[in-house]
Structure formats: structure tokens, C-alpha cells
PDB file of all heavy atoms in Angstrom:
ATOM      1  N   SER S   1      97.353  94.711 121.323  1.00 93.00           N
ATOM      2  CA  SER S   1      96.667  95.978 121.579  1.00 93.00           C
ATOM      3  C   SER S   1      97.564  97.193 121.375  1.00 93.00           C
ATOM      4  O   SER S   1      97.104  98.238 120.904  1.00 93.00           O
ATOM      5  CB  SER S   1      96.100  95.985 123.001  1.00 93.00           C
ATOM      6  OG  SER S   1      97.124  95.691 123.944  1.00 93.00           O
ATOM      7  N   VAL S   2      98.842  97.103 121.732  1.00 96.00           N
ATOM      8  CA  VAL S   2      99.732  98.252 121.557  1.00 96.00           C
ATOM      9  C   VAL S   2      99.882  98.563 120.071  1.00 96.00           C
ATOM     10  O   VAL S   2      99.757  99.718 119.637  1.00 96.00           O
ATOM     11  CB  VAL S   2     101.107  97.993 122.207  1.00 96.00           C
ATOM     12  CG1 VAL S   2     102.086  99.121 121.868  1.00 96.00           C
ATOM     13  CG2 VAL S   2     100.977  97.858 123.719  1.00 96.00           C
ATOM     14  N   TYR S   3     100.126  97.529 119.266  1.00 96.00           N
ATOM     15  CA  TYR S   3     100.266  97.731 117.818  1.00 96.00           C
ATOM     16  C   TYR S   3      98.962  98.236 117.208  1.00 96.00           C
ATOM     17  O   TYR S   3      98.967  99.114 116.335  1.00 96.00           O
ATOM     18  CB  TYR S   3     100.688  96.421 117.150  1.00 96.00           C
ATOM     19  CG  TYR S   3     100.847  96.543 115.649  1.00 96.00           C
ATOM     20  CD1 TYR S   3     101.995  97.097 115.091  1.00 96.00           C
ATOM     21  CD2 TYR S   3      99.839  96.117 114.780  1.00 96.00           C
ATOM     22  CE1 TYR S   3     102.139  97.225 113.717  1.00 96.00           C
ATOM     23  CE2 TYR S   3      99.974  96.238 113.406  1.00 96.00           C
ATOM     24  CZ  TYR S   3     101.127  96.789 112.882  1.00 96.00           C
ATOM     25  OH  TYR S   3     101.262  96.920 111.523  1.00 96.00           O
ATOM     26  N   ARG S   4      97.841  97.690 117.665  1.00 95.00           N
ATOM     27  CA  ARG S   4      96.547  98.052 117.081  1.00 95.00           C
ATOM     28  C   ARG S   4      96.119  99.475 117.428  1.00 95.00           C
ATOM     29  O   ARG S   4      95.567 100.191 116.586  1.00 95.00           O
ATOM     30  CB  ARG S   4      95.461  97.090 117.582  1.00 95.00           C
ATOM     31  CG  ARG S   4      95.451  95.736 116.906  1.00 95.00           C
ATOM     32  CD  ARG S   4      94.416  94.816 117.544  1.00 95.00           C
ATOM     33  NE  ARG S   4      94.338  93.546 116.847  1.00 95.00           N
ATOM     34  CZ  ARG S   4      93.531  93.287 115.829  1.00 95.00           C
ATOM     35  NH1 ARG S   4      92.724  94.229 115.378  1.00 95.00           N
ATOM     36  NH2 ARG S   4      93.533  92.111 115.241  1.00 95.00           N
ATOM     37  N   PHE S   5      96.340  99.897 118.668  1.00 96.00           N
ATOM     38  CA  PHE S   5      95.690 101.112 119.150  1.00 96.00           C
ATOM     39  C   PHE S   5      96.606 102.312 119.355  1.00 96.00           C
ATOM     40  O   PHE S   5      96.127 103.433 119.435  1.00 96.00           O
ATOM     41  CB  PHE S   5      94.937 100.811 120.449  1.00 96.00           C
ATOM     42  CG  PHE S   5      93.892  99.741 120.294  1.00 96.00           C
ATOM     43  CD1 PHE S   5      93.919  98.597 121.075  1.00 96.00           C
ATOM     44  CD2 PHE S   5      92.892  99.865 119.341  1.00 96.00           C
ATOM     45  CE1 PHE S   5      92.964  97.605 120.926  1.00 96.00           C
ATOM     46  CE2 PHE S   5      91.926  98.883 119.174  1.00 96.00           C
ATOM     47  CZ  PHE S   5      91.962  97.748 119.969  1.00 96.00           C
ATOM     48  N   HIS S   6      97.911 102.083 119.460  1.00 97.00           N
ATOM     49  CA  HIS S   6      98.801 103.236 119.579  1.00 97.00           C
ATOM     50  C   HIS S   6      98.841 103.947 118.233  1.00 97.00           C
ATOM     51  O   HIS S   6      99.116 103.321 117.199  1.00 97.00           O
ATOM     52  CB  HIS S   6     100.207 102.783 119.988  1.00 97.00           C
ATOM     53  CG  HIS S   6     101.113 103.914 120.339  1.00 97.00           C
ATOM     54  ND1 HIS S   6     101.643 104.770 119.383  1.00 97.00           N
ATOM     55  CD2 HIS S   6     101.591 104.358 121.530  1.00 97.00           C
ATOM     56  CE1 HIS S   6     102.397 105.669 119.976  1.00 97.00           C
ATOM     57  NE2 HIS S   6     102.379 105.450 121.274  1.00 97.00           N
ATOM     58  N   PRO S   7      98.598 105.263 118.187  1.00 97.00           N
ATOM     59  CA  PRO S   7      98.428 105.930 116.896  1.00 97.00           C
ATOM     60  C   PRO S   7      99.683 106.002 116.028  1.00 97.00           C
ATOM     61  O   PRO S   7      99.578 106.215 114.814  1.00 97.00           O
ATOM     62  CB  PRO S   7      97.966 107.341 117.291  1.00 97.00           C
ATOM     63  CG  PRO S   7      98.419 107.529 118.696  1.00 97.00           C
ATOM     64  CD  PRO S   7      98.365 106.175 119.322  1.00 97.00           C
ATOM     65  N   HIS S   8     100.877 105.839 116.608  1.00 97.00           N
ATOM     66  CA  HIS S   8     102.111 105.984 115.825  1.00 97.00           C
ATOM     67  C   HIS S   8     102.963 104.717 115.772  1.00 97.00           C
ATOM     68  O   HIS S   8     103.999 104.712 115.109  1.00 97.00           O
ATOM     69  CB  HIS S   8     102.977 107.114 116.409  1.00 97.00           C
ATOM     70  CG  HIS S   8     102.239 108.394 116.603  1.00 97.00           C
ATOM     71  ND1 HIS S   8     101.545 109.024 115.590  1.00 97.00           N
ATOM     72  CD2 HIS S   8     102.063 109.165 117.717  1.00 97.00           C
ATOM     73  CE1 HIS S   8     100.981 110.124 116.061  1.00 97.00           C
ATOM     74  NE2 HIS S   8     101.272 110.230 117.338  1.00 97.00           N
ATOM     75  N   PHE S   9     102.549 103.666 116.456  1.00 98.00           N
ATOM     76  CA  PHE S   9     103.418 102.503 116.618  1.00 98.00           C
ATOM     77  C   PHE S   9     103.759 101.854 115.280  1.00 98.00           C
ATOM     78  O   PHE S   9     104.923 101.540 115.014  1.00 98.00           O
ATOM     79  CB  PHE S   9     102.790 101.482 117.564  1.00 98.00           C
ATOM     80  CG  PHE S   9     103.793 100.624 118.277  1.00 98.00           C
ATOM     81  CD1 PHE S   9     104.305 101.014 119.504  1.00 98.00           C
ATOM     82  CD2 PHE S   9     104.251  99.441 117.725  1.00 98.00           C
ATOM     83  CE1 PHE S   9     105.249 100.241 120.181  1.00 98.00           C
ATOM     84  CE2 PHE S   9     105.189  98.662 118.374  1.00 98.00           C
ATOM     85  CZ  PHE S   9     105.683  99.072 119.613  1.00 98.00           C
ATOM     86  N   HIS S  10     102.753 101.672 114.432  1.00 98.00           N
ATOM     87  CA  HIS S  10     102.994 101.039 113.125  1.00 98.00           C
ATOM     88  C   HIS S  10     104.021 101.830 112.313  1.00 98.00           C
ATOM     89  O   HIS S  10     104.974 101.258 111.763  1.00 98.00           O
ATOM     90  CB  HIS S  10     101.693 100.910 112.340  1.00 98.00           C
ATOM     91  CG  HIS S  10     101.876 100.500 110.912  1.00 98.00           C
ATOM     92  ND1 HIS S  10     101.988  99.179 110.526  1.00 98.00           N
ATOM     93  CD2 HIS S  10     102.025 101.233 109.773  1.00 98.00           C
ATOM     94  CE1 HIS S  10     102.172  99.118 109.217  1.00 98.00           C
ATOM     95  NE2 HIS S  10     102.204 100.352 108.741  1.00 98.00           N
ATOM     96  N   ARG S  11     103.828 103.140 112.241  1.00 98.00           N
ATOM     97  CA  ARG S  11     104.741 103.985 111.453  1.00 98.00           C
ATOM     98  C   ARG S  11     106.159 103.935 112.015  1.00 98.00           C
ATOM     99  O   ARG S  11     107.134 103.752 111.263  1.00 98.00           O
ATOM    100  CB  ARG S  11     104.233 105.427 111.439  1.00 98.00           C
ATOM    101  CG  ARG S  11     105.179 106.414 110.760  1.00 98.00           C
ATOM    102  CD  ARG S  11     104.657 107.829 110.817  1.00 98.00           C
ATOM    103  NE  ARG S  11     104.402 108.299 112.164  1.00 98.00           N
ATOM    104  CZ  ARG S  11     105.345 108.740 113.001  1.00 98.00           C
ATOM    105  NH1 ARG S  11     106.625 108.751 112.634  1.00 98.00           N
ATOM    106  NH2 ARG S  11     105.030 109.158 114.207  1.00 98.00           N
ATOM    107  N   LEU S  12     106.295 104.080 113.336  1.00 98.00           N
ATOM    108  CA  LEU S  12     107.622 104.054 113.959  1.00 98.00           C
ATOM    109  C   LEU S  12     108.310 102.718 113.708  1.00 98.00           C
ATOM    110  O   LEU S  12     109.503 102.658 113.403  1.00 98.00           O
ATOM    111  CB  LEU S  12     107.491 104.298 115.474  1.00 98.00           C
ATOM    112  CG  LEU S  12     107.061 105.702 115.901  1.00 98.00           C
ATOM    113  CD1 LEU S  12     106.670 105.701 117.382  1.00 98.00           C
ATOM    114  CD2 LEU S  12     108.177 106.715 115.652  1.00 98.00           C
ATOM    115  N   LEU S  13     107.540 101.639 113.836  1.00 98.00           N
ATOM    116  CA  LEU S  13     108.084 100.296 113.657  1.00 98.00           C
ATOM    117  C   LEU S  13     108.541 100.083 112.215  1.00 98.00           C
ATOM    118  O   LEU S  13     109.665  99.629 111.962  1.00 98.00           O
ATOM    119  CB  LEU S  13     107.007  99.278 114.046  1.00 98.00           C
ATOM    120  CG  LEU S  13     107.359  97.800 114.016  1.00 98.00           C
ATOM    121  CD1 LEU S  13     108.552  97.502 114.899  1.00 98.00           C
ATOM    122  CD2 LEU S  13     106.157  96.959 114.446  1.00 98.00           C
ATOM    123  N   GLU S  14     107.682 100.432 111.291  1.00 98.00           N
ATOM    124  CA  GLU S  14     107.989 100.222 109.873  1.00 98.00           C
ATOM    125  C   GLU S  14     109.219 101.026 109.446  1.00 98.00           C
ATOM    126  O   GLU S  14     110.119 100.511 108.761  1.00 98.00           O
ATOM    127  CB  GLU S  14     106.775 100.613 109.039  1.00 98.00           C
ATOM    128  CG  GLU S  14     106.857 100.223 107.576  1.00 98.00           C
ATOM    129  CD  GLU S  14     105.534 100.451 106.880  1.00 98.00           C
ATOM    130  OE1 GLU S  14     105.011 101.588 106.956  1.00 98.00           O
ATOM    131  OE2 GLU S  14     105.019  99.503 106.271  1.00 98.00           O
ATOM    132  N   GLU S  15     109.275 102.291 109.853  1.00 98.00           N
ATOM    133  CA  GLU S  15     110.395 103.150 109.458  1.00 98.00           C
ATOM    134  C   GLU S  15     111.720 102.655 110.033  1.00 98.00           C
ATOM    135  O   GLU S  15     112.740 102.642 109.345  1.00 98.00           O
ATOM    136  CB  GLU S  15     110.133 104.590 109.913  1.00 98.00           C
ATOM    137  CG  GLU S  15     109.026 105.284 109.139  1.00 98.00           C
ATOM    138  CD  GLU S  15     108.677 106.660 109.685  1.00 98.00           C
ATOM    139  OE1 GLU S  15     109.236 107.054 110.743  1.00 98.00           O
ATOM    140  OE2 GLU S  15     107.832 107.340 109.070  1.00 98.00           O
ATOM    141  N   LYS S  16     111.687 102.216 111.288  1.00 98.00           N
ATOM    142  CA  LYS S  16     112.943 101.828 111.923  1.00 98.00           C
ATOM    143  C   LYS S  16     113.404 100.444 111.457  1.00 98.00           C
ATOM    144  O   LYS S  16     114.615 100.211 111.319  1.00 98.00           O
ATOM    145  CB  LYS S  16     112.810 101.874 113.453  1.00 98.00           C
ATOM    146  CG  LYS S  16     114.122 101.737 114.209  1.00 98.00           C
ATOM    147  CD  LYS S  16     115.213 102.675 113.711  1.00 98.00           C
ATOM    148  CE  LYS S  16     114.915 104.127 113.899  1.00 98.00           C
ATOM    149  NZ  LYS S  16     116.060 104.990 113.471  1.00 98.00           N
ATOM    150  N   ILE S  17     112.495  99.528 111.172  1.00 98.00           N
ATOM    151  CA  ILE S  17     112.905  98.250 110.583  1.00 98.00           C
ATOM    152  C   ILE S  17     113.622  98.514 109.259  1.00 98.00           C
ATOM    153  O   ILE S  17     114.674  97.924 108.970  1.00 98.00           O
ATOM    154  CB  ILE S  17     111.705  97.304 110.356  1.00 98.00           C
ATOM    155  CG1 ILE S  17     111.089  96.863 111.684  1.00 98.00           C
ATOM    156  CG2 ILE S  17     112.150  96.059 109.579  1.00 98.00           C
ATOM    157  CD1 ILE S  17     109.784  96.086 111.525  1.00 98.00           C
ATOM    158  N   ALA S  18     113.053  99.412 108.444  1.00 98.00           N
ATOM    159  CA  ALA S  18     113.653  99.743 107.144  1.00 98.00           C
ATOM    160  C   ALA S  18     115.070 100.301 107.307  1.00 98.00           C
ATOM    161  O   ALA S  18     115.946 100.048 106.478  1.00 98.00           O
ATOM    162  CB  ALA S  18     112.775 100.740 106.406  1.00 98.00           C
ATOM    163  N   ASP S  19     115.300 101.027 108.394  1.00 97.00           N
ATOM    164  CA  ASP S  19     116.645 101.563 108.656  1.00 97.00           C
ATOM    165  C   ASP S  19     117.642 100.464 109.027  1.00 97.00           C
ATOM    166  O   ASP S  19     118.833 100.570 108.732  1.00 97.00           O
ATOM    167  CB  ASP S  19     116.605 102.575 109.818  1.00 97.00           C
ATOM    168  CG  ASP S  19     115.937 103.885 109.438  1.00 97.00           C
ATOM    169  OD1 ASP S  19     115.809 104.155 108.229  1.00 97.00           O
ATOM    170  OD2 ASP S  19     115.537 104.624 110.357  1.00 97.00           O
ATOM    171  N   LEU S  20     117.152  99.405 109.700  1.00 98.00           N
ATOM    172  CA  LEU S  20     118.047  98.432 110.315  1.00 98.00           C
ATOM    173  C   LEU S  20     118.230  97.150 109.509  1.00 98.00           C
ATOM    174  O   LEU S  20     119.249  96.465 109.650  1.00 98.00           O
ATOM    175  CB  LEU S  20     117.525  98.067 111.718  1.00 98.00           C
ATOM    176  CG  LEU S  20     117.464  99.218 112.736  1.00 98.00           C
ATOM    177  CD1 LEU S  20     116.730  98.772 113.993  1.00 98.00           C
ATOM    178  CD2 LEU S  20     118.861  99.708 113.090  1.00 98.00           C
ATOM    179  N   VAL S  21     117.255  96.787 108.675  1.00 98.00           N
ATOM    180  CA  VAL S  21     117.346  95.532 107.930  1.00 98.00           C
ATOM    181  C   VAL S  21     118.262  95.717 106.722  1.00 98.00           C
ATOM    182  O   VAL S  21     118.404  96.819 106.185  1.00 98.00           O
ATOM    183  CB  VAL S  21     115.936  95.068 107.500  1.00 98.00           C
ATOM    184  CG1 VAL S  21     115.407  95.907 106.348  1.00 98.00           C
ATOM    185  CG2 VAL S  21     115.925  93.591 107.149  1.00 98.00           C
ATOM    186  N   HIS S  22     118.887  94.611 106.299  1.00 97.00           N
ATOM    187  CA  HIS S  22     119.719  94.650 105.092  1.00 97.00           C
ATOM    188  C   HIS S  22     118.840  95.030 103.902  1.00 97.00           C
ATOM    189  O   HIS S  22     117.740  94.477 103.739  1.00 97.00           O
ATOM    190  CB  HIS S  22     120.365  93.284 104.852  1.00 97.00           C
ATOM    191  CG  HIS S  22     121.457  93.304 103.835  1.00 97.00           C
ATOM    192  ND1 HIS S  22     121.198  93.444 102.494  1.00 97.00           N
ATOM    193  CD2 HIS S  22     122.815  93.216 103.958  1.00 97.00           C
ATOM    194  CE1 HIS S  22     122.337  93.436 101.825  1.00 97.00           C
ATOM    195  NE2 HIS S  22     123.340  93.312 102.691  1.00 97.00           N
ATOM    196  N   PRO S  23     119.277  95.955 103.050  1.00 96.00           N
ATOM    197  CA  PRO S  23     118.413  96.474 101.968  1.00 96.00           C
ATOM    198  C   PRO S  23     117.857  95.411 101.023  1.00 96.00           C
ATOM    199  O   PRO S  23     116.802  95.621 100.420  1.00 96.00           O
ATOM    200  CB  PRO S  23     119.341  97.430 101.199  1.00 96.00           C
ATOM    201  CG  PRO S  23     120.446  97.766 102.131  1.00 96.00           C
ATOM    202  CD  PRO S  23     120.591  96.611 103.075  1.00 96.00           C
ATOM    203  N   GLN S  24     118.536  94.260 100.894  1.00 97.00           N
ATOM    204  CA  GLN S  24     118.044  93.256  99.935  1.00 97.00           C
ATOM    205  C   GLN S  24     116.894  92.424 100.491  1.00 97.00           C
ATOM    206  O   GLN S  24     116.251  91.678  99.751  1.00 97.00           O
ATOM    207  CB  GLN S  24     119.178  92.338  99.482  1.00 97.00           C
ATOM    208  CG  GLN S  24     119.653  91.333 100.505  1.00 97.00           C
ATOM    209  CD  GLN S  24     120.858  90.557 100.015  1.00 97.00           C
ATOM    210  OE1 GLN S  24     121.986  90.992 100.089  1.00 97.00           O
ATOM    211  NE2 GLN S  24     120.589  89.371  99.480  1.00 97.00           N
ATOM    212  N   TYR S  25     116.604  92.566 101.799  1.00 98.00           N
ATOM    213  CA  TYR S  25     115.512  91.798 102.407  1.00 98.00           C
ATOM    214  C   TYR S  25     114.310  92.714 102.607  1.00 98.00           C
ATOM    215  O   TYR S  25     114.259  93.501 103.552  1.00 98.00           O
ATOM    216  CB  TYR S  25     115.947  91.179 103.731  1.00 98.00           C
ATOM    217  CG  TYR S  25     117.224  90.373 103.633  1.00 98.00           C
ATOM    218  CD1 TYR S  25     118.211  90.478 104.609  1.00 98.00           C
ATOM    219  CD2 TYR S  25     117.459  89.523 102.556  1.00 98.00           C
ATOM    220  CE1 TYR S  25     119.391  89.752 104.525  1.00 98.00           C
ATOM    221  CE2 TYR S  25     118.638  88.799 102.454  1.00 98.00           C
ATOM    222  CZ  TYR S  25     119.600  88.921 103.441  1.00 98.00           C
ATOM    223  OH  TYR S  25     120.775  88.211 103.340  1.00 98.00           O
ATOM    224  N   LYS S  26     113.345  92.614 101.704  1.00 98.00           N
ATOM    225  CA  LYS S  26     112.157  93.461 101.763  1.00 98.00           C
ATOM    226  C   LYS S  26     111.130  92.853 102.727  1.00 98.00           C
ATOM    227  O   LYS S  26     111.125  91.642 102.977  1.00 98.00           O
ATOM    228  CB  LYS S  26     111.537  93.620 100.372  1.00 98.00           C
ATOM    229  CG  LYS S  26     112.515  94.114  99.307  1.00 98.00           C
ATOM    230  CD  LYS S  26     113.139  95.447  99.679  1.00 98.00           C
ATOM    231  CE  LYS S  26     114.098  95.921  98.601  1.00 98.00           C
ATOM    232  NZ  LYS S  26     114.811  97.160  98.998  1.00 98.00           N
ATOM    233  N   PHE S  27     110.244  93.701 103.236  1.00 98.00           N
ATOM    234  CA  PHE S  27     109.257  93.235 104.220  1.00 98.00           C
ATOM    235  C   PHE S  27     108.012  94.102 104.141  1.00 98.00           C
ATOM    236  O   PHE S  27     108.024  95.210 103.601  1.00 98.00           O
ATOM    237  CB  PHE S  27     109.836  93.307 105.639  1.00 98.00           C
ATOM    238  CG  PHE S  27     109.962  94.718 106.149  1.00 98.00           C
ATOM    239  CD1 PHE S  27     108.972  95.278 106.943  1.00 98.00           C
ATOM    240  CD2 PHE S  27     111.059  95.510 105.811  1.00 98.00           C
ATOM    241  CE1 PHE S  27     109.064  96.593 107.380  1.00 98.00           C
ATOM    242  CE2 PHE S  27     111.169  96.819 106.251  1.00 98.00           C
ATOM    243  CZ  PHE S  27     110.163  97.368 107.044  1.00 98.00           C
ATOM    244  N   ASP S  28     106.928  93.589 104.690  1.00 97.00           N
ATOM    245  CA  ASP S  28     105.766  94.433 104.976  1.00 97.00           C
ATOM    246  C   ASP S  28     105.120  93.934 106.259  1.00 97.00           C
ATOM    247  O   ASP S  28     105.319  92.770 106.663  1.00 97.00           O
ATOM    248  CB  ASP S  28     104.767  94.452 103.816  1.00 97.00           C
ATOM    249  CG  ASP S  28     104.179  93.084 103.541  1.00 97.00           C
ATOM    250  OD1 ASP S  28     104.859  92.253 102.905  1.00 97.00           O
ATOM    251  OD2 ASP S  28     103.035  92.846 103.957  1.00 97.00           O
ATOM    252  N   LEU S  29     104.395  94.798 106.928  1.00 98.00           N
ATOM    253  CA  LEU S  29     103.708  94.478 108.180  1.00 98.00           C
ATOM    254  C   LEU S  29     102.230  94.289 107.885  1.00 98.00           C
ATOM    255  O   LEU S  29     101.607  95.125 107.238  1.00 98.00           O
ATOM    256  CB  LEU S  29     103.883  95.597 109.204  1.00 98.00           C
ATOM    257  CG  LEU S  29     105.317  96.005 109.550  1.00 98.00           C
ATOM    258  CD1 LEU S  29     105.320  97.153 110.554  1.00 98.00           C
ATOM    259  CD2 LEU S  29     106.114  94.826 110.088  1.00 98.00           C
ATOM    260  N   MET S  30     101.671  93.173 108.369  1.00 97.00           N
ATOM    261  CA  MET S  30     100.269  92.849 108.099  1.00 97.00           C
ATOM    262  C   MET S  30      99.535  92.649 109.417  1.00 97.00           C
ATOM    263  O   MET S  30      99.923  91.792 110.229  1.00 97.00           O
ATOM    264  CB  MET S  30     100.196  91.561 107.257  1.00 97.00           C
ATOM    265  CG  MET S  30      98.796  91.072 106.988  1.00 97.00           C
ATOM    266  SD  MET S  30      98.838  89.523 106.022  1.00 97.00           S
ATOM    267  CE  MET S  30      97.086  89.189 105.872  1.00 97.00           C
ATOM    268  N   LEU S  31      98.496  93.441 109.656  1.00 95.00           N
ATOM    269  CA  LEU S  31      97.697  93.283 110.866  1.00 95.00           C
ATOM    270  C   LEU S  31      96.914  91.984 110.800  1.00 95.00           C
ATOM    271  O   LEU S  31      96.263  91.689 109.793  1.00 95.00           O
ATOM    272  CB  LEU S  31      96.734  94.463 111.024  1.00 95.00           C
ATOM    273  CG  LEU S  31      95.776  94.394 112.212  1.00 95.00           C
ATOM    274  CD1 LEU S  31      96.543  94.459 113.526  1.00 95.00           C
ATOM    275  CD2 LEU S  31      94.745  95.512 112.141  1.00 95.00           C
ATOM    276  N   SER S  32      96.992  91.210 111.860  1.00 92.00           N
ATOM    277  CA  SER S  32      96.224  89.969 111.944  1.00 92.00           C
ATOM    278  C   SER S  32      94.798  90.324 112.337  1.00 92.00           C
ATOM    279  O   SER S  32      94.488  90.502 113.513  1.00 92.00           O
ATOM    280  CB  SER S  32      96.845  89.025 112.976  1.00 92.00           C
ATOM    281  OG  SER S  32      96.071  87.858 113.116  1.00 92.00           O
ATOM    282  N   GLU S  33      93.936  90.460 111.336  1.00 79.00           N
ATOM    283  CA  GLU S  33      92.586  90.972 111.573  1.00 79.00           C
ATOM    284  C   GLU S  33      91.743  90.063 112.453  1.00 79.00           C
ATOM    285  O   GLU S  33      90.894  90.528 113.208  1.00 79.00           O
ATOM    286  CB  GLU S  33      91.880  91.195 110.235  1.00 79.00           C
ATOM    287  CG  GLU S  33      92.539  92.267 109.369  1.00 79.00           C
ATOM    288  CD  GLU S  33      91.915  92.353 107.998  1.00 79.00           C
ATOM    289  OE1 GLU S  33      90.939  91.630 107.754  1.00 79.00           O
ATOM    290  OE2 GLU S  33      92.415  93.136 107.178  1.00 79.00           O
ATOM    291  N   ASP S  34      91.974  88.775 112.371  1.00 71.00           N
ATOM    292  CA  ASP S  34      91.130  87.826 113.103  1.00 71.00           C
ATOM    293  C   ASP S  34      91.805  87.289 114.359  1.00 71.00           C
ATOM    294  O   ASP S  34      91.277  86.397 115.018  1.00 71.00           O
ATOM    295  CB  ASP S  34      90.751  86.652 112.189  1.00 71.00           C
ATOM    296  CG  ASP S  34      90.118  87.134 110.899  1.00 71.00           C
ATOM    297  OD1 ASP S  34      89.129  87.867 110.993  1.00 71.00           O
ATOM    298  OD2 ASP S  34      90.624  86.801 109.824  1.00 71.00           O
ATOM    299  N   GLY S  35      92.999  87.814 114.696  1.00 68.00           N
ATOM    300  CA  GLY S  35      93.663  87.388 115.912  1.00 68.00           C
ATOM    301  C   GLY S  35      94.270  86.010 115.803  1.00 68.00           C
ATOM    302  O   GLY S  35      94.174  85.317 114.791  1.00 68.00           O
ATOM    303  N   SER S  36      94.913  85.606 116.890  1.00 72.00           N
ATOM    304  CA  SER S  36      95.633  84.340 116.893  1.00 72.00           C
ATOM    305  C   SER S  36      94.707  83.135 116.996  1.00 72.00           C
ATOM    306  O   SER S  36      95.120  82.009 116.724  1.00 72.00           O
ATOM    307  CB  SER S  36      96.636  84.320 118.051  1.00 72.00           C
ATOM    308  OG  SER S  36      95.983  84.576 119.274  1.00 72.00           O
ATOM    309  N   GLY S  37      93.449  83.352 117.381  1.00 78.00           N
ATOM    310  CA  GLY S  37      92.514  82.234 117.511  1.00 78.00           C
ATOM    311  C   GLY S  37      92.270  81.533 116.193  1.00 78.00           C
ATOM    312  O   GLY S  37      92.278  80.305 116.104  1.00 78.00           O
ATOM    313  N   ARG S  38      92.054  82.306 115.130  1.00 83.00           N
ATOM    314  CA  ARG S  38      91.847  81.703 113.805  1.00 83.00           C
ATOM    315  C   ARG S  38      93.088  80.936 113.390  1.00 83.00           C
ATOM    316  O   ARG S  38      93.010  79.880 112.762  1.00 83.00           O
ATOM    317  CB  ARG S  38      91.516  82.785 112.770  1.00 83.00           C
ATOM    318  CG  ARG S  38      91.188  82.216 111.397  1.00 83.00           C
ATOM    319  CD  ARG S  38      90.598  83.281 110.498  1.00 83.00           C
ATOM    320  NE  ARG S  38      91.610  84.197 110.012  1.00 83.00           N
ATOM    321  CZ  ARG S  38      92.196  84.093 108.809  1.00 83.00           C
ATOM    322  NH1 ARG S  38      91.897  83.081 108.010  1.00 83.00           N
ATOM    323  NH2 ARG S  38      93.081  84.981 108.427  1.00 83.00           N
ATOM    324  N   GLY S  39      94.262  81.451 113.768  1.00 86.00           N
ATOM    325  CA  GLY S  39      95.505  80.757 113.462  1.00 86.00           C
ATOM    326  C   GLY S  39      95.585  79.402 114.126  1.00 86.00           C
ATOM    327  O   GLY S  39      96.079  78.434 113.538  1.00 86.00           O
TER     328      GLY S  39
END
């Protein structure tokens, strides 16, 4: 719920991961649309 509904959480998370991860390891964040139940 925090990731889904906080208006800035995704942006803050994405920007700061990019600052901290080694540049050769690329990533993207994907919202789990159907939740953990489908998993």
C-alpha cells in the first residue's frame, strides 16, 4: 500500500536506487498488478 498509494514513493525509490547501485547493474521497478496471491 505504501508503494502503491504514496504519491512520491516510486520516484524517490527509483532515483535513489540509481544513485546507490553499481552503474553496470541496470534495473526497473514493476508494480505487481495482481498482488502476491496470483504469485
Side-chain angles (χ1 to χ4, degrees):
S1 54
V2 173
Y3 180 80
R4 282 175 176 270
F5 301 123
H6 189 287
H8 309 305
F9 207 90
H10 170 85
R11 174 182 57 79
L12 291 167
L13 183 57
E14 190 171 54
E15 290 174 355
K16 191 50 64 176
I17 294 172
D19 288 342
L20 298 171
V21 75
H22 193 287
Q24 73 185 82
Y25 307 137
K26 306 302 180 185
F27 72 96
D28 63 281
L29 304 179
M30 176 181 180
L31 177 65
S32 177
E33 296 174 3
D34 306 305
S36 55
R38 184 168 76 97

